[in-house]
């Protein structure tokens, strides 16, 4: 039986650390306000690496972990909402940087849910038999999307990239459910205004309207309400459809937007918070990169054993959300 599994993970975060106290010198905020409301203590901000640069380093780490050469890749997907260019895609830039010359490469946009949407797309290609080796990356440089004068948003985000090599292979034991098993994905465009960032395409030559770049804007409380309702709902649906018990899941890797959101999801699912690993304290919300960075940290720390059942779940602008069940 063919299975589709994560064969390797990698990540890359910028070296530069910006603490909450550093931010309190730029905007009217405090370490106490940020920590108590979000769980964030510091974030990484890029000085030189672009979105593609961070993504390429994460990709190289994932390829090393999977013991795979870049030339073996057939598909490179980058989930990002902060590319350097409208075109070429970040995925094509990454392809050039890592030498993945036999792959097709393109970007996909689903904000903070992006990595799951890209994983879902790669899974469909591998499951259909179109490709056997894919690279899925979540990469965002949120520091260029936020208004550094707006304390209600700039304190929340950070930069980074995470990657996973996805491979279709013959299962060693056909009786054991292995690899990526089930997805639940969702979108609700009626909530588009809750979390937005305007691109340059809002101009109009004939109407004499100049294009303007906007900043990220967010109705924080609406996002909070949406997340604490939708994430437990979609995880429950995922487990029910896959006929899997929540108690059997070793770890729930949630999008790292806010400690309190994760705490509330754990409570609603009636599960101990220890099953919800977090790194938000160190990186803030890295948008599409948060789930693959967390997965890579777990993988490298030796916390994952073969046969462990994991749920990855994200939510973000769109509105979009999703969850995947996999056996490591
Ligand atoms: N420092 C100090 N005070 C601040 C700051 C700040 N950085 N930001 C806002 N405040 C003030 C506000 O001005 C307001 O003051 P007022 O009462 O005098 O008007 C007060 O703090 C409370 O503001 P709220 O926005 O009501 O604060 P809230 O308790 O809702 O917390 C937060 C805001 C943390 C954003 C919360 O709504 C939240 O976590 N929402 C979820 C959204 C999220 O995580 N988004 C991340 C991106 S989206 C994604 O990843 C999908």
């Amino acid at each position: 039986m063919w299975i589709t599994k994560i064969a390797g993970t990698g990540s890359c975060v910028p070296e530069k650390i910006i603490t909450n106290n550093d931010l309190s010198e730029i905007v009217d905020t405090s370490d106490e306000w940020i920590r108590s409301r979000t769980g964030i203590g510091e974030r990484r901000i890029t000085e030189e690496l672009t979105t593609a640069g961070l993504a390429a380093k994460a990709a190289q780490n994932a390829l090393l972990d999977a013991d795979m050469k870049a030339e073996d890749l057939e598909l490179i997907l980058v989930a990002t909402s902060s590319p350097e260019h409208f075109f070429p895609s970040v995925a094509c830039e990454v392809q050039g940087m890592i030498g993945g010359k036999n792959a097709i490469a393109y970007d996909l946009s689903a904000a903070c849910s992006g990595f799951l949407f890209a994983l879902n797309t790669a899974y469909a290609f591998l499951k259909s038999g179109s490709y056997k080796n894919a690279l899925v990356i979540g990469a965002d440089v949120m520091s260029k999307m936020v208004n550094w004068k707006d304390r209600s948003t700039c304190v929340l985000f950070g930069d980074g990239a995470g990657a996973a090599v996805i491979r279709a292979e013959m299962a060693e034991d056909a009786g054991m459910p292995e690899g990526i098993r089930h997805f639940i994905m969702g979108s609700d465009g009626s909530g588009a205004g809750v979390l937005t960032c305007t691109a340059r395409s809002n101009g109009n030559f004939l109407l004499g309207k100049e294009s303007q770049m906007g900043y990220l804007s967010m109705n924080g409380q609406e996002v909070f309400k949406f997340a604490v309702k939708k994430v437990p709902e979609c995880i429950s649906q995922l487990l029910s459809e896959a006929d899997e018990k929540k108690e059997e899941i070793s770890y729930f890797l949630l999008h790292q937007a806010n400690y309190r959101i994760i705490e509330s999801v754990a409570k609603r699912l009636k599960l101990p918070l220890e099953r919800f690993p977090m790194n938000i304290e160190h990186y803030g919300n890295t948008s599409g990169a948060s789930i693959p960075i967390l997965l890579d940290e777990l993988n490298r720390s030796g916390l994952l054993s073969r046969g462990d059942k994991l749920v990855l779940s994200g939510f973000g602008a769109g509105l979009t959300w999703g969850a995947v069940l996999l056996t490591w």
Side-chain angles (χ1 to χ4, degrees):
M1 187 181 63
W2 283 96
I3 57 159
T4 300
K5 63 189 288 187
I6 294 182
T9 63
S11 60
C12 176
V13 292
E15 280 175 19
K16 182 82 180 163
I17 297 172
I18 303 286
T19 65
N20 292 343
N21 286 329
D22 293 334
L23 286 185
S24 69
E25 289 173 19
I26 306 172
V27 287
D28 183 12
T29 191
S30 65
D31 181 56
E32 195 280 323
W33 193 98
I34 301 170
R35 266 183 205 278
S36 62
R37 292 239 185 2
T38 68
I40 299 167
E42 59 193 29
R43 70 285 298 139
R44 302 295 183 97
I45 303 291
T46 185
E47 289 174 287
E48 278 162 18
L49 282 174
T50 60
T51 306
L54 288 165
K57 284 192 184 293
Q60 277 158 340
N61 292 335
L63 285 166
L64 272 177
D65 190 40
D67 197 17
M68 189 188 283
K69 292 195 196 74
E71 303 94 80
D72 295 333
L73 293 168
E74 295 157 286
L75 174 69
I76 300 173
L77 293 179
V78 176
T80 185
S81 32
S82 52
E84 261 68 46
H85 318 286
F86 288 120
F87 50 83
S89 64
V90 174
C92 280
E93 289 185 86
V94 170
Q95 178 187 27
M97 288 171 179
I98 66 173
K101 58 185 180 188
N102 298 312
I104 62 155
Y106 58 93
D107 290 355
L108 184 152
S109 161
C112 305
S113 316
F115 179 76
L116 284 180
F117 276 64
L119 190 64
N120 181 249
T121 306
Y123 175 71
F125 274 119
L126 268 60
K127 193 95 181 136
S128 73
S130 302
Y131 306 121
K132 287 203 171 55
N133 298 321
L135 177 64
V136 177
I137 304 171
D140 273 304
V141 174
M142 298 306 289
S143 60
K144 68 187 175 204
M145 313 300 281
V146 296
N147 178 354
W148 287 97
K149 293 186 177 127
D150 174 11
R151 68 176 181 173
S152 70
T153 53
C154 74
V155 303
L156 303 175
F157 296 93
D159 304 336
V165 170
I166 319 296
R167 195 155 56 197
E169 54 186 58
M170 285 300 281
E172 286 166 31
D173 176 357
M176 182 177 159
E178 270 195 289
I180 299 174
R181 291 170 50 192
H182 193 53
F183 278 94
I184 295 289
M185 309 297 297
S187 304
D188 175 10
S190 70
V194 171
L195 188 50
T196 66
C197 189
T198 308
R200 204 177 63 193
S201 47
N202 55 355
N204 186 301
F205 168 64
L206 293 178
L207 299 178
K209 227 173 116 189
E210 285 272 334
S211 295
Q212 281 172 344
M213 291 299 282
Y215 291 115
L216 179 148
S217 80
M218 173 182 80
N219 181 334
Q221 283 167 10
E222 283 304 313
V223 176
F224 198 100
K225 278 192 268 175
F226 153 70
V228 298
K229 182 170 179 291
K230 196 51 92 178
V231 174
E233 259 176 30
C234 96
I235 291 176
S236 299
Q237 188 187 348
L238 175 84
L239 295 177
S240 153
E241 287 184 13
D243 200 18
E244 191 64 76
K245 291 192 185 67
K246 61 184 179 186
E247 293 77 15
E248 296 289 314
I249 306 301
S250 304
Y251 294 109
F252 293 81
L253 280 73
L254 266 49
H255 168 50
Q256 305 285 297
N258 185 315
Y259 172 85
R260 289 187 301 144
I261 292 177
I262 296 171
E263 199 177 37
S264 166
V265 171
K267 205 177 272 176
R268 283 178 195 226
L269 288 170
K270 299 192 173 60
L271 287 167
L273 195 55
E274 298 78 62
R275 301 254 199 99
F276 293 74
M278 284 185 241
N279 59 13
I280 186 161
E281 185 183 359
H282 301 295
Y283 304 130
N285 179 348
T286 54
S287 192
S290 88
I291 293 174
I293 291 175
L294 187 62
L295 179 65
D296 185 48
E297 286 190 344
L298 238 61
N299 183 20
R300 280 167 202 275
S301 63
L303 280 172
L304 300 181
S305 309
R306 187 157 181 258
D308 275 355
K309 292 166 188 169
L310 307 180
V311 167
L312 279 48
S313 179
F315 57 92
L319 297 166
T320 54
W321 62 92
V324 60
L325 169 68
L326 57 95
T327 302
W328 193 250

